[in-house]
């Protein structure tokens, strides 16, 4: 998949805030209000329908982001967006700092352990709260804690390779 078509999930609409069409927005960016910098967004509703949205504005509150979207003028319109995901093209984001990675950039890389055993490719990553987990899909699925250097030994984008310290029996 081309990097220009890759997308990153940046947040989720949690419903209406007040009666004037404002929305409660959960942000996965750090800091939380950075989500507003990366537009246009692709809003994906629970049924998988997508539409592009530009011109969202918002403010950081103690309970998260309170946002206004163009064409959302009342509580009903805001509530109709509850559960929508906020995606952005990978190309809209700045390059990661050295030693940092966007999860989407790891997807598809080959995974091998120190002994050269092939575990397949990175399917996806997810967070458990305690730590992130890399999912390798090969002859079977393996979930490897994304802890460097304990289990994730190295990431080589040029070679398309993630080297892990992981027992093939696990």
């Amino acid at each position: 998949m081309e990097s220009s078509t890759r997308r990153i999930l940046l947040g989720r609409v949690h419903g209406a805030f007040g009666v004037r069409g404002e929305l409660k927005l959960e942000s996965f960016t750090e800091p939380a209000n950075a989500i507003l910098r990366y537009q246009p967004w692709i809003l994906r509703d629970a049924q998988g329908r997508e539409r592009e949205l530009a011109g969202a504005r918002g403010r950081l509150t103690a309970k998260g982001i309170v946002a206004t979207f163009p064409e959302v003028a009342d509580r009903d319109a805001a509530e109709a967006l509850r559960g929508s995901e906020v995606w952005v093209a990978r190309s809209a984001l700045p390059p990661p700092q050295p030693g940092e990675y966007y999860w989407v950039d790891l997807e598809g890389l080959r995974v091998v352990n120190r002994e050269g055993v092939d575990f397949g490719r990175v399917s996806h990553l997810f967070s458990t709260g305690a730590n992130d987990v890399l999912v390798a899909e090969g002859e079977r699925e393996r979930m490897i804690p994304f802890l460097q250097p304990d289990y994730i030994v190295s990431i080589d984008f040029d070679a398309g390779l993630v080297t892990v310290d992981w027992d093939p029996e696990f």
Side-chain angles (χ1 to χ4, degrees):
M1 188 184 279
E2 272 181 32
S3 62
S4 62
T5 60
R6 288 183 182 236
R7 295 178 178 174
I8 296 182
L9 179 63
L10 289 190
R12 186 171 287 116
V13 176
H14 278 292
F17 179 86
V19 295
R20 293 190 312 253
E22 291 182 307
L23 302 112
K24 289 182 282 195
L25 186 62
E26 177 185 13
S27 172
F28 305 141
T29 63
E30 208 38 69
N33 58 348
I35 190 173
L36 299 164
R37 282 188 228 142
Y38 310 118
Q39 295 187 50
W41 293 340
I42 298 116
L43 284 186
R44 181 182 300 156
D45 70 17
Q47 289 74 41
R49 294 181 301 244
E50 296 182 349
R51 70 180 177 103
E52 191 170 284
L53 175 88
R57 297 197 333 249
R59 64 187 186 277
L60 189 57
T61 71
K63 295 185 178 192
I65 303 284
V66 173
T68 57
F69 292 0
E71 301 169 24
V72 177
D74 60 35
R75 185 175 182 86
D76 291 342
E79 199 54 45
L81 292 171
R82 177 187 293 272
S84 293
E85 295 173 334
V86 176
W87 292 80
V88 70
R90 166 64 182 88
S91 56
L93 297 174
Q97 296 298 312
E100 292 183 351
Y101 319 97
Y102 290 116
W103 286 358
V104 69
D105 294 342
L106 300 174
E107 292 172 4
L109 296 183
R110 184 153 296 291
V111 181
V112 299
N113 73 358
R114 289 179 184 268
E115 292 73 42
V117 177
D118 190 332
F119 288 169
R121 296 194 176 274
V122 177
S123 163
H124 61 284
L125 292 96
F126 64 91
S127 180
T128 64
N131 57 269
D132 299 331
V133 176
L134 180 145
V135 180
E137 285 282 350
E139 84 286 353
R140 65 183 178 88
E141 183 180 82
R142 289 184 175 84
M143 295 188 195
I144 304 167
F146 197 89
L147 298 172
Q148 296 175 289
D150 308 10
Y151 304 114
I152 306 297
V153 177
S154 66
I155 298 170
D156 184 340
F157 285 104
D158 294 332
L161 193 64
V162 177
T163 302
V164 298
D165 187 354
W166 199 251
D167 187 323
E169 302 304 311
F170 276 38

